[in-house]
Amino acid sequence: MQSFRYSLLIILLPLILFTGCNNSKHSDTVNTLISNVKNDFVPDSRVAIFDISAEANSNSVVLKGETTLPEAKQALLDSLRSKEIIFADSIDVLPDVSVGENYFALVNNSAANLRSEPKHSAQLATQAIMGMPLKVLKKQGGWYLVQTPEDYLSWVDGGGIERMTEESYSGWAASEKIIYLETYGFSYSNANRNSEKVSDLVAGSILKLRSGNGSYYNVEYPDGRSGFVHKSEARLLNDWESSISATHESLIETAKTMIGAPYLWGGTSTKGMDCSGFTKTIYFMNGQIIPRDASQQVKAGKLIDSNKDWDKLEVGDLLFFGREATDSRSRAVTHVGMWIGDNKFIHSASNVHISSVDPDSDIYDGFNTGRYLEARRYIDNWDGNIIPTNKMYTTLVEVR
């Protein structure tokens, strides 16, 4: 009996070894293909997900994980087929089934705090302003993974948003709305500033219009609450969108309304903002949704200068600061401000203030001038992930 078992083992051993080697070879090939697809489709993990792994199973591989990009998944599957690799597809394309049909959402607070992980103690990644549309990707406990109009991914507490079906969302998107234009303010329970407050509002807050008689707009929140906003502090959204544009004058005017606002890491509202949140807010209030972080903003627009030739700059150009590349480390963009002319730029660092690149100025910022990298122009330039504000609601449906 032992002799028979030994003989059987001798016969099967090459097959076992071949299968093991074949699985190992397939695994290496599949992992390489996954890496290649991820590099091609997701150069920035802040705006897209391609979290895929492969497990060997007999003579095939099982693909697991999730992605926000169906085209990336298809590219991977096509690559596997071209290599004649047998596979089982268990890749989920977000939105996940956990969100049901409510895969749209609107921000329901003046500023919703979006975090890097689904917990309040996690880092503040960004903020989303009242009425901003979000794509809901998956649910974990009371938190939702969402994507902003500029594709930024982060987690939000369910209490800060109102989830909707596509039908409900489309109804909201098509409705007449107002946009709040003051740096900070309130809506009220009646057409009277002495009445009870419904909520605070920040620049860029968007609410549905119910009626506009008298001195107040009667507005509706995403969750159905009603309030009144004084007409001197807001405009009809369609009228504002058709009249607004990013000009030298308008950008300076907007930026200066926020002087003194506190620095807040992850902030993009007039309650508090980081450096790129500040430049993002300036441009949002002038008709352009620009990328979220400084290291993303530097990849948009048009390169104007990289040699401290200040005469090349125009009002509204964004200045980027950080660390130049060396043989041992890559370049790092860590700060951004906006040029306002006369050798000055405005930025959020400790608070929003104006600094100068002129060594003889009382407001000379030697630290940032010393680490200047380049300047880019956004006015009349749409290269990169820059979206007109009047496309904010339709873009979300188009990518569905």
Side-chain angles (χ1 to χ4, degrees):
M1 189 67 178
Q2 280 186 329
S3 176
F4 172 76
R5 289 175 178 170
Y6 178 77
S7 299
L8 184 61
L9 179 61
I10 293 299
I11 294 171
L12 293 177
L13 184 58
L15 180 60
I16 294 170
L17 291 175
F18 173 80
T19 302
C21 292
N22 197 42
N23 281 347
S24 176
K25 180 181 178 181
H26 280 178
S27 294
D28 291 343
T29 301
V30 172
N31 288 332
T32 299
L33 292 175
I34 291 172
S35 179
N36 291 342
V37 171
K38 185 170 185 176
N39 291 337
D40 288 342
F41 285 87
V42 190
D44 188 343
S45 61
R46 291 168 291 185
V47 298
I49 295 171
F50 191 76
D51 186 11
I52 309 299
S53 62
E55 295 181 4
N57 182 12
S58 185
N59 284 323
S60 66
V61 293
V62 179
L63 302 173
K64 296 182 178 181
E66 60 188 15
T67 181
T68 55
L69 303 173
E71 63 272 25
K73 173 182 174 178
Q74 189 59 53
L76 175 60
L77 301 187
D78 290 344
S79 296
L80 292 170
R81 292 187 182 103
S82 71
K83 299 289 185 181
E84 297 183 346
I85 296 174
I86 300 172
F87 61 87
D89 174 16
S90 293
I91 299 173
D92 293 327
V93 176
L94 301 177
D96 186 76
V97 294
S98 62
V99 306
E101 293 299 313
N102 296 320
Y103 40 75
F104 292 99
L106 293 167
V107 176
N108 203 40
N109 291 331
S110 60
N113 294 322
L114 278 58
R115 301 192 177 274
S116 58
E117 298 177 67
K119 55 185 179 181
H120 286 291
S121 59
Q123 176 179 290
L124 182 63
T126 189
Q127 289 178 322
I129 307 305
M130 172 81 73
M132 177 177 284
L134 302 170
K135 185 178 181 181
V136 183
L137 299 176
K138 65 179 181 178
K139 183 178 187 294
Q140 185 171 321
W143 291 79
Y144 294 90
L145 179 65
V146 296
Q147 195 164 30
T148 64
E150 69 275 19
D151 298 329
Y152 209 78
L153 294 160
S154 43
W155 292 87
V156 64
D157 180 353
I161 60 174
E162 183 70 16
R163 295 172 59 218
M164 296 180 171
T165 63
E166 183 169 353
E167 182 180 3
S168 297
Y169 171 79
S170 296
W172 169 280
S175 67
E176 192 168 12
K177 294 177 282 293
I178 68 156
I179 182 168
Y180 192 76
L181 300 177
E182 293 296 308
T183 304
Y184 188 75
F186 301 92
S187 71
Y188 300 89
S189 57
N190 294 297
N192 186 327
R193 285 195 176 104
N194 293 321
S195 63
E196 186 175 306
K197 296 181 180 74
V198 177
S199 81
D200 66 332
L201 300 171
V202 296
S205 295
I206 296 174
L207 295 160
K208 183 189 290 188
L209 178 68
R210 284 187 169 181
S211 64
N213 298 325
S215 300
Y216 285 81
Y217 293 117
N218 181 205
V219 297
E220 182 178 317
Y221 286 71
D223 64 359
R225 285 176 295 164
S226 176
F228 290 85
V229 177
H230 200 278
K231 287 184 176 180
S232 65
E233 300 175 359
R235 285 189 67 182
L236 296 175
L237 181 62
N238 288 339
D239 291 349
W240 176 80
E241 288 175 338
S242 63
S243 65
I244 199 69
S245 63
T247 66
H248 297 166
E249 296 75 19
S250 67
L251 291 168
I252 283 184
E253 182 181 356
T254 300
K256 286 187 174 180
T257 64
M258 292 177 271
I259 286 178
Y263 179 91
L264 175 64
W265 177 275
T268 63
S269 76
T270 49
K271 290 182 176 182
M273 60 207 85
D274 58 24
C275 62
S276 56
F278 174 56
T279 52
K280 178 176 173 59
T281 299
I282 295 171
Y283 270 90
F284 180 85
M285 296 306 298
N286 286 278
Q288 292 180 241
I289 300 174
I290 69 174
R292 169 62 183 94
D293 294 338
S295 58
Q296 297 170 316
Q297 292 175 5
V298 76
K299 297 177 182 178
K302 179 183 178 182
L303 177 64
I304 298 301
D305 172 67
S306 58
N307 296 303
K308 297 184 181 179
D309 188 349
W310 310 124
D311 290 337
K312 290 182 178 179
L313 305 190
E314 296 180 2
V315 171
D317 291 347
L318 297 188
L319 281 67
F320 296 92
F321 309 88
R323 183 188 70 212
E324 291 283 10
T326 66
D327 292 339
S328 59
R329 62 187 185 185
S330 59
R331 188 173 85 151
V333 177
T334 56
H335 190 57
V336 60
M338 190 185 80
W339 190 253
I340 61 171
D342 193 26
N343 288 326
K344 297 174 183 176
F345 64 98
I346 188 168
H347 58 137
S348 180
S350 299
N351 54 41
V352 174
H353 62 277
I354 296 171
S355 296
S356 176
V357 297
D358 180 0
D360 295 327
S361 171
D362 292 340
I363 55 174
Y364 174 57
D365 186 339
F367 173 69
N368 279 311
T369 302
R371 62 179 189 149
Y372 168 80
L373 296 173
E374 64 180 70
R376 302 188 75 87
R377 186 160 299 156
Y378 277 39
I379 294 179
D380 297 327
N381 288 285
W382 297 86
D383 291 339
N385 190 21
I386 302 175
I387 306 165
T389 54
N390 61 8
K391 299 291 186 182
M392 177 169 57
Y393 290 98
T394 56
T395 298
L396 205 67
V397 177
E398 289 169 358
V399 300
R400 168 63 186 165

